[in-house]
Amino acid sequence: MTNDIDRGDLVIRGGTVVDATGSRRADVVIQGGVVVAVGDGVDGPRSARVLDAGGCVVAPGLVDLHVHLRQPGREEAETVETGARAAALGGYTAIVAMPNTEPAIDCASAVREVLELGEGSVCDVRVAGAITKGRQGLELAAMAEMADLGVRLFTDDGTGVQDGRLMRRALEYASALGVTLAQHCEDACLAAGGHMHEGEWSSRLGLAGVPAEAEELMVMRDIVLARLTAPMGSRMHFLHLSTEGSVAAVRAAKASGLVVTAEAAPHHFTLTDASVAGYDSVFKVNPPLRTAADVAAVKAGLADGTLDAIATDHAPHAPEDKERPFDHAPPGMLGLETALGLSLSELDLPIERVLALMSWRPARIAGLDATHGGPVAEGRPANLCVIDPAATWVVEPDRLASRSRNTPYAGRRLTGRVRHTVLFGEPVVVDGEAQR
Ligand SMILES: [Zn+2]
């Protein structure tokens, strides 16, 4: 966790507390990193620092199930420190770092390295481990030794586990360990060579496409494998679902009683493949931007609970990589500093529903609900964010804390901004400024 920097007493005054239990006008008093009082007019010691929350929502900190921090191996794009700062500015108190680093996080020593880099940063950095050695999809990684270090999510993200037999074994093994497998659903053969969504725009632009079915086939296969292994207690999570068919498959699986979870990324409910028209590789992402019908389906899935969480898939890339021609540029977009504003601006959902998708539901999926996403209540760790839902702002890439600049939202005006973020009682973001 974090070091003992500035753990003085704190009062968050004048806000409306919103958490899984509902919404009420309340001040929040924090001592020693823990919430000690919540109520209208409660007061801390005279020496306590006061954070103004007038007109704001005080909520459990956001939790991101899906970030790429690029360390080790790609520090020119992001480091654990810069990624954590971007997260704190975005309202996140916990993030899960994906294991597709160089080398991959596929053993205890690699997990330990990233956890140590995260210690003392302005966000609680957790780690997902690889399902297979080196993310090669050939043999299972040392999942037990990583689980011993607290790893709760395992994924080969960047690619899906192609071999169905190996995926079945991974689900069985994960069940025994009590951990969750998170799949990047993509049939590598069907997707091979594609750079954008296969459809009207890909043919118009003359770019090779990735059909929606490349994602949907693996979603469907893994639903079948999740059902096969459900009696053992397997837990399956679907990363960044992007197509109407994927959402429909998960909806049907849940309706049949199967317990699976799924996430969507903001770019899949705010942008379509038409954005690629100018061949700007800032719009290249995997899974690719889809059609307006897919965007509508992702929104509907978030609204009806088919999709459990919003995760950023924050994927920084250095300019020299990202500015290559579309068919040579790496896929990925920044997400941490814009996700909340995009969700509040573009989803037709009340703020408490957006917070459920961004805080307490992902906290539960990540196994972090003891420390993050919980109700703002006496005795709970003080991991909080204070959001001004009415504040508008314009995304300016040069002002982002991430080391990279590859946001597709430059110039976009968003409604809803993070005012303060408190991590284990420490105000790490105050009035929209990182404190360290
Ligand atoms: Zn992925």
Side-chain angles (χ1 to χ4, degrees), residues 66 68 98 100 155-159 183-186 239-240 263 286-287 313:
H66 196 150
H68 298 276
M98 292 291 108
N100 64 333
T155 177
D156 278 1
D157 183 48
T159 51
Q183 185 81 290
H184 167 121
C185 290
E186 183 179 26
L239 300 170
H240 47 47
E263 66 182 41
N286 186 17
D313 193 8

Side-chain angles (χ1 to χ4, degrees), residues 9-17 19 24-45 48-49 51 58 375-384 422 425:
D9 302 336
L10 195 65
V11 179
I12 302 175
R13 196 184 298 291
T16 299
V17 169
D19 60 19
R24 63 263 179 213
R25 243 295 297 126
D27 300 329
V28 180
V29 182
I30 295 159
Q31 287 182 311
V34 174
V35 174
V36 295
V38 184
D40 206 354
V42 294
D43 221 342
R49 180 172 181 183
L51 292 182
V58 181
V376 183
E378 233 177 280
R380 299 279 313 192
N383 292 314
L384 305 169
V422 174

